[in-house]
Amino acid sequence: MQRTRAHSAALASGLALLLGSTALTLPSLAFAQAAEQSGVVQRIIVEGNERIEQSTVLSYLPIQAGETADPAKLDLALKALFRTDLFSDVKINLLNGDLTITVVENPIVNKVVFEGNSGLKEDKLRDEVTVRPRGIFTRAKVQADVQRIVELYRRSGRISATVTPKIVELPQKRVDLIFEIDEGPKSGVLRVNFLGNEEFSDNDLRDVVVTEQTSWYKFFSSNANYDPDRLEYDKEQLRKHYRNRGFYDFRVISAVAELSTDKNGFVITYTLDEGPEYKFGKISVETELQKLDKNLLLQLVPIRSGELYEDEKIESATDSLTFAAGAAGFASVDVRPRYVANKETKTVDVVFQVREGPRVYVERIDIIGNSQTLDYVIRRELNLVEGDAYNRALVDRSKNNIRALGFFKNVDIAEIAGSAPDRTTLQVKVEEQPTGELSFSAGYSSVDQLVLDLGITQRNFRGRGQDVRARISVGSLRQQVDFSFTEPRFLGRNLRAGVDIYSYRYDLTDYSAYQTSTLGMNLRAGFPLTLNSSMSTRYVLRQDEVEIDDSYCDPTLPVVSLSLCAQRGAFLTSLVGYGLRLDRRNNPVNPTRGFYADISQDLAGVGGDVNYIKTDLAGGWYHGFNKNFILSVTGQAGYIAGWSGDTIRINDRSYKGGNSFRGFETAGLGPRDTNFARSDALGGRAYAIGSVELTIPTFVPEQYGIKAALFTDFGTVGLLDDVDKEYQPGSINPVTGLPYPAGTRDPLIFDDLSLRATAGLSVFWKSPMGPIRFDFSQVLAKEDYDKTETFRFSTSTKF
């Protein structure tokens, strides 16, 4: 209460200063003065105007020369002039046919100054106020701006902030407006308490609410300051938390914030009534629509009797029934769940009432806010066009489609009444965000050592939704230059097409016996099959050149393999391929539920020098027990086989390890030639790798961006062609001094499809300099010739 009185007194003082040089004539008093006057207006005289032309003043008057004026018309004229905000005082006098209008102009704002602000930047304050330099000064605007600034400080945790407006008069009816700000101390949150909670501990519920207790390490968090509006949001979060865990009767009795005795922060207490735990009882669907079978609709409801009651399942069922009715031709359908709680059995019966709503048609679709993106890029993501029956499910899907483009910061679709009761206008409001990026990055990892990247990306090229990317990457392992262009709606259809041109060089001499250089081009196209599935096709034309040291192919010495030395030189690969994906994850970036499955195949030999068929499979399943514990099971497998007498060249084989199999070095497991001290990796024609990962809490504040997961990786790589395991013809047996017979296998080339397995801990840190990953591994199963590692880190830090 003391703060409120102090703030009111400061505001009153400021407003008094604002009015110190200006006399205000209230319209009601002027009306009393004008009530004694009436007659025909012969002439209109304007006095006191300095900047404003007389014609401008006359244009606002509802009275013209030659008309009869009465007290009501004079009062109307007075109010009209005051409403312009151009004048601080207006007097109207009618005498002997002369209507004299005496005005005192409002001053022009020369500049707006903020003093005393340190907690909030001046740019943020300027965005909030409505008074602008070269604008008209009015008391009402200043008073409203004071309230806006106070509210801004209140939301930033400074509940006792006060703002005093002052003016400095300048010549020519100009003023400087000064907002003197006393920010006051930050109103932190000393404690967040809960009363009445038995099923969940205070610590559990503190993770549910947004409001956080103030701590020294939370200097980046704005939620550690007291905000009354945030309490209402927290109450809703608590309600969702409990009702999604069976507590149908849950309610928040009160949320009280008490200022501590030393006034250094607030203690927030939520009083809860948890109620008993409920389960779903009888689930049914009722509908009077003849084309809808209620038994079929019931099968679409993802709820079964005996399951724990969850609000989210009700929402999911409502959406499923809405989509099903829309697919059956009912564009406007109203699905409303009716609840019947039985306190004796602790069950909730749910009846879904499906009714046809009034038919409303889309009269017009307006798109606003797109300053860069062309209209048609947005319209093609809409599932509705003008003339269609309105369908809420399709509107929501359209909104998600536009948001998925990644071109806009905010997307909203509002319904505006049309020209008739059965007509509606959809207003698609978007807010553009930057889609271009020019980046220079450097990183260091235990594999690539130092890596430098220079790239330019434009995801919305020329506002047409086209994706253009170019990159140069230089590292100790890889040097790469590539360019790609993607047209998301090729030929105006829902067909994503693109081209990639690239050149790269891999130096694998630290892992195997060769280096490879590639120059190639990909043509690709992709299209959706259903809502959750898609297909892609591709054509690849590339030339690979394999370089091998001559010492490996000296016939007087044991060599890597027959095929390796035969592969030196340039080879042209021409292949066609396809891919299929089924994706039912709830979030493609950070999934917590659902699964995905991929299959892809490539056929090389459509021209060129290389012939093979390659098949790859991948999939994953995710289950989140809560936000801290998320279980994922993923796997990948592949097989490549030559045809028309070809064997698989070394650069077309699979190499696993490093990030693809933690606990082993890059290319650290699988077939290996141990003839030389380096022990060269040969890669395999087949691989199968699985991974089980469980995210775990780190007990580190979320704003530090540190996450962790326990993992186990298991699988195998191998299956070389027989010729890859043989001595090169002419190789000399050092014991007999004679050449090895043709087809003799080299005993120092190992190829075992045995099981490898590792387990460990991965730590992910979203650092201010970029993402960093640490892997700590323990090998559980391996072969003697495999190369392992217990620690690995990688980053792509940008600067």
Side-chain angles (χ1 to χ4, degrees), residues 485-517:
F485 174 82
T486 303
E487 170 56 63
R489 292 298 180 96
F490 186 60
L491 299 177
R493 300 180 180 274
N494 195 5
L495 178 65
R496 189 176 184 88
V499 59
D500 306 310
I501 302 173
Y502 50 87
S503 173
Y504 56 81
R505 179 181 179 86
Y506 279 93
D507 183 356
L508 299 171
T509 53
D510 287 340
Y511 306 100
S512 189
Y514 73 98
Q515 302 178 59
T516 180
S517 301

Side-chain angles (χ1 to χ4, degrees), residues 135-148:
I136 301 296
F137 174 90
T138 66
R139 180 190 60 155
K141 285 184 178 180
V142 173
Q143 185 175 3
D145 284 348
V146 167
Q147 296 298 333
R148 288 189 181 93

Side-chain angles (χ1 to χ4, degrees), residues 290-563:
Q290 296 181 354
K291 291 184 179 181
L292 295 179
D293 184 347
K294 64 180 181 181
N295 294 323
L296 180 59
L297 292 177
L298 183 60
Q299 295 180 13
L300 300 176
V301 176
I303 302 173
R304 297 294 177 264
S305 297
E307 293 181 344
L308 192 67
Y309 175 86
E310 295 180 33
D311 269 358
E312 287 182 352
K313 289 186 176 180
I314 301 291
E315 296 172 4
S316 177
T318 301
D319 290 340
S320 297
L321 293 174
T322 301
F323 280 117
F330 294 92
S332 298
V333 66
D334 183 21
V335 180
R336 295 189 181 183
R338 188 176 75 243
Y339 307 89
V340 179
N342 190 326
K343 294 188 177 181
E344 295 180 358
T345 60
K346 302 296 186 294
T347 59
V348 180
D349 298 336
V350 184
V351 180
F352 292 94
Q353 297 177 322
V354 182
R355 301 172 182 173
E356 186 174 14
R359 288 254 176 185
V360 177
Y361 296 89
V362 179
E363 182 176 31
R364 194 175 70 252
I365 298 177
D366 297 330
I367 300 176
I368 60 176
N370 53 318
S371 57
Q372 177 182 347
T373 307
L374 301 180
D375 266 24
Y376 78 86
V377 175
I378 301 173
R379 288 185 181 275
R380 67 192 183 190
E381 301 298 329
L382 299 174
N383 295 110
L384 290 166
V385 297
E386 284 89 345
D388 284 354
Y390 174 82
N391 187 315
R392 181 181 64 84
L394 295 180
V395 171
D396 291 342
R397 187 182 299 174
S398 300
K399 182 178 179 180
N400 290 333
N401 290 346
I402 298 172
R403 186 185 290 117
L405 291 173
F407 303 159
F408 309 107
K409 185 184 302 182
N410 295 307
V411 179
D412 185 54
I413 301 181
E415 303 168 36
I416 300 175
S419 59
D422 63 342
R423 298 287 186 271
T424 186
T425 295
L426 297 182
Q427 186 182 80
V428 182
K429 186 176 182 180
V430 298
E431 182 181 352
E432 299 267 12
Q433 66 179 1
T435 56
E437 179 181 349
L438 177 63
S439 62
F440 172 70
S441 65
Y444 183 87
S445 73
S446 54
V447 179
D448 284 325
Q449 313 307 317
L450 181 64
V451 179
L452 299 177
D453 275 287
L454 176 63
I456 182 170
T457 300
Q458 176 51 262
R459 294 181 290 108
N460 188 14
F461 186 58
R462 298 187 300 166
R464 300 174 182 270
Q466 299 163 335
D467 192 315
V468 179
R469 299 170 186 262
R471 189 180 67 154
I472 299 175
S473 178
V474 179
S476 60
L477 179 66
R478 182 189 74 248
Q479 299 85 46
Q480 181 173 346
V481 177
D482 60 76
F483 171 82
S484 68
F485 174 82
T486 303
E487 170 56 63
R489 292 298 180 96
F490 186 60
L491 299 177
R493 300 180 180 274
N494 195 5
L495 178 65
R496 189 176 184 88
V499 59
D500 306 310
I501 302 173
Y502 50 87
S503 173
Y504 56 81
R505 179 181 179 86
Y506 279 93
D507 183 356
L508 299 171
T509 53
D510 287 340
Y511 306 100
S512 189
Y514 73 98
Q515 302 178 59
T516 180
S517 301
T518 297
L519 176 65
M521 176 190 69
N522 298 350
L523 299 177
R524 48 188 165 76
F527 50 90
L529 297 176
T530 65
L531 185 63
N532 301 111
S533 63
S534 60
M535 181 176 183
S536 61
T537 59
R538 57 188 167 272
Y539 171 72
V540 178
L541 180 66
R542 71 171 189 263
Q543 178 170 287
D544 301 310
E545 183 174 358
V546 177
E547 302 174 19
I548 303 173
D549 193 281
D550 289 337
S551 62
Y552 278 81
C553 300
D554 185 346
T556 63
L557 297 173
V559 294
V560 177
S561 70
L562 169 65
S563 62

Side-chain angles (χ1 to χ4, degrees), residues 208-210 233-242:
V208 174
V209 298
V210 175
Y233 181 77
D234 286 345
K235 290 165 64 176
E236 180 61 19
Q237 293 300 103
L238 289 168
R239 190 192 71 83
K240 288 182 179 179
H241 175 79
Y242 271 93

